Amino acid sequence: MKKLLGEERRHQLLDLLKAASEPIKGTELAKQAGVSRQVIVGDMTLLKARNEPILATSQGYVYMKNLNENHASERQIACVHSPADAQDELYTLVDAGVTVKNVTVEHPVYGEITASIMVSNRHEVDLFLARVKETGASYLSELTDGIHLHLIAASSEEFLDAAVEGMRGKGYLADEE
């Protein structure tokens, strides 16, 4: 493909993201635009600075307006568990029909730190956890003795209630320790 320049490339990237039904990896966007992945990272930063609702997830870039159409309800839940329970926690949530949008911890120096997760099913959880393992990254909750918040979203309050009940049953809710 011929290399696209500046604004033309960013316009094409927005069109691709808006049309996508699932996240698109930076390497795939780079291939389609005929540029390096690092150029795509810069383009995404510029687009976000223009208030485009783009989210970088472990599965790729997502245009947030596409996601929000399916999520009428959101809730933040306080959780606590060991790193060994991360897979079970995320499976419990996605099996209840919710998307785990992010994780937040309260750091003593930096204050609130929030990172995107964006997993909606076991396959996405497995990809996320594989990425954590292959990079040797730590979970944010390791900074706070396992205490963290998740923003969860679903098409109805019933799914959110089911997710909370599942977490309660596993002993993963921080306010019920």
Side-chain angles (χ1 to χ4, degrees), residues 75 92 159-171 173 176:
R75 189 177 302 169
T92 300
F159 288 115
L160 297 177
D161 291 341
V164 169
E165 284 309 308
M167 293 288 283
R168 180 173 289 122
K170 301 274 179 103
L173 293 181
E176 297 179 5

Side-chain angles (χ1 to χ4, degrees), residues 116-137:
S116 171
I117 295 180
M118 296 307 292
V119 294
S120 300
N121 57 56
R122 283 181 176 235
H123 177 69
E124 291 173 353
V125 169
D126 291 344
L127 290 173
F128 172 77
L129 295 173
R131 183 89 175 115
V132 170
K133 185 176 181 179
E134 77 187 26
T135 62

Side-chain angles (χ1 to χ4, degrees), residues 104-114 143-144:
T104 300
V105 296
E106 184 70 34
H107 191 273
V109 175
Y110 300 113
E112 266 191 16
I113 300 172
T114 301
L143 297 171
T144 56

Side-chain angles (χ1 to χ4, degrees), residues 33-173:
V35 296
S36 71
R37 187 184 136 322
Q38 194 56 41
V39 169
I40 296 300
V41 170
D43 284 344
M44 293 299 146
T45 301
L46 289 171
L47 290 168
K48 288 179 198 178
R50 296 179 192 166
N51 294 319
E52 290 292 348
I54 296 169
L55 181 66
T57 73
S58 59
Q59 290 86 40
Y61 290 102
V62 176
Y63 194 77
M64 288 301 293
K65 287 188 179 167
N66 295 352
L67 288 177
N68 291 336
E69 292 169 2
N70 298 325
H71 298 140
S73 301
E74 290 185 341
R75 189 177 302 169
Q76 194 163 55
I77 56 173
C79 310
V80 62
H81 60 79
S82 72
D85 292 323
Q87 180 182 47
D88 187 52
E89 175 207 39
L90 292 172
Y91 278 0
T92 300
L93 291 167
V94 301
D95 287 352
V98 305
T99 294
V100 182
K101 294 181 87 170
N102 65 32
V103 59
T104 300
V105 296
E106 184 70 34
H107 191 273
V109 175
Y110 300 113
E112 266 191 16
I113 300 172
T114 301
S116 171
I117 295 180
M118 296 307 292
V119 294
S120 300
N121 57 56
R122 283 181 176 235
H123 177 69
E124 291 173 353
V125 169
D126 291 344
L127 290 173
F128 172 77
L129 295 173
R131 183 89 175 115
V132 170
K133 185 176 181 179
E134 77 187 26
T135 62
S138 297
Y139 297 105
L140 283 182
S141 62
E142 291 181 65
L143 297 171
T144 56
D145 296 323
I147 299 170
H148 58 286
L149 302 172
H150 280 304
L151 180 62
I152 57 175
S155 58
S156 72
E157 289 290 325
E158 289 77 22
F159 288 115
L160 297 177
D161 291 341
V164 169
E165 284 309 308
M167 293 288 283
R168 180 173 289 122
K170 301 274 179 103
Y172 294 150
L173 293 181

